[in-house]
Amino acid sequence: MKTIKRLFAAAVAFALICCVAVFGIDFYVRQKAKPYILTPENAGVGYDCILVLGCRVNGETPSHMLEDRLLQGIELYDIGASEKLIMSGDHGKTNYDEVNAMKKFAVERGVPSDAVFMDHAGFSTYESMYRARDIFQAKKILIVTQKYHLYRAVYDARALGLDAYGVASDPRSYVGQSYRNLREILARNKDFVFSIVKPEPTYLGEPIPVWGSGDLTNDK
């Protein structure tokens, strides 16, 4: 009986330590990123690119979350924050393509095609930041996504040496957001470890500098 009690006490203590570590890292990541999260009005200019992070599409139609990210990115482009946009998302399968849908959305709203780059291998937030640095040769970036996600994106980018800032795109509520908030706690912990270990992304390749033409990333 005493052995069982000791094992139970040890298990409870271990669980508490894990909880403290998980929530402590989550708090640390958010606090480190917070000073670099700006409003559109005070974002300023002079960024190498505006990096719009992808999420779900239905064929060529962006989800509500992605539409809001794109509209915010286009607004920042229109007010002169940067002359270039990078659409970074998942195009790992021929029948699922976030980035062409994102570029099409921007071009249809007046952004020149050669100003819009596509990162076809932005399979995760961390990989999008790594590729922005190594493939697109960016140094100072302005990231656009929803605020719950923006903390991790800015943290990842700055951990990789980018001069990174972010603008949140949250003009409406989204179904399932409570679940995303919980999942993001674990994702921040994962990327905290990645920021220390710095694994290479799934794909690298030849540089495509963001000061060139975005049409070099076209695949259609």
Side-chain angles (χ1 to χ4, degrees), residues 172-191:
R172 54 179 142 181
S173 299
Y174 307 100
V175 175
Q177 191 56 45
S178 296
Y179 168 73
R180 290 189 199 93
N181 291 339
L182 288 172
R183 187 180 64 179
E184 188 66 14
I185 293 171
L186 297 178
R188 290 181 194 128
N189 275 257
K190 172 182 68 71
D191 281 14

Side-chain angles (χ1 to χ4, degrees), residues 57-115:
V57 295
N58 301 302
E60 294 187 345
T61 304
S63 61
H64 288 159
M65 290 187 77
L66 183 54
E67 179 183 10
D68 292 340
R69 297 178 191 185
L70 290 164
L71 289 171
Q72 184 63 78
I74 293 166
E75 178 188 326
L76 290 164
Y77 171 85
D78 286 340
I79 63 177
S82 177
E83 296 179 355
K84 304 290 182 176
L85 284 155
I86 296 178
M87 306 303 190
S88 184
D90 185 350
H91 188 192
K93 298 177 182 178
T94 56
N95 62 349
Y96 184 76
D97 181 355
E98 293 177 0
V99 293
N100 273 287
M102 294 166 74
K103 178 163 184 170
K104 180 174 180 284
F105 187 97
V107 170
E108 288 176 346
R109 284 155 182 78
V111 182
S113 177
D114 65 357

Side-chain angles (χ1 to χ4, degrees), residues 22-34 155 192:
V22 166
F23 286 102
I25 289 171
D26 174 69
F27 178 78
Y28 175 79
V29 168
R30 287 186 287 111
Q31 290 303 115
K32 292 292 285 187
K34 189 174 181 180
Y155 181 86
F192 173 78

Side-chain angles (χ1 to χ4, degrees), residues 148-207:
Y148 83 97
H149 183 208
L150 194 56
Y151 293 109
R152 176 162 57 102
V154 170
Y155 181 86
D156 286 355
R158 299 193 75 87
L160 288 167
L162 289 161
D163 186 14
Y165 300 82
V167 170
S169 55
D170 294 276
R172 54 179 142 181
S173 299
Y174 307 100
V175 175
Q177 191 56 45
S178 296
Y179 168 73
R180 290 189 199 93
N181 291 339
L182 288 172
R183 187 180 64 179
E184 188 66 14
I185 293 171
L186 297 178
R188 290 181 194 128
N189 275 257
K190 172 182 68 71
D191 281 14
F192 173 78
V193 175
F194 277 23
S195 72
I196 297 169
V197 179
K198 294 184 172 59
E200 287 191 356
T202 306
Y203 297 111
L204 281 173
E206 294 298 317

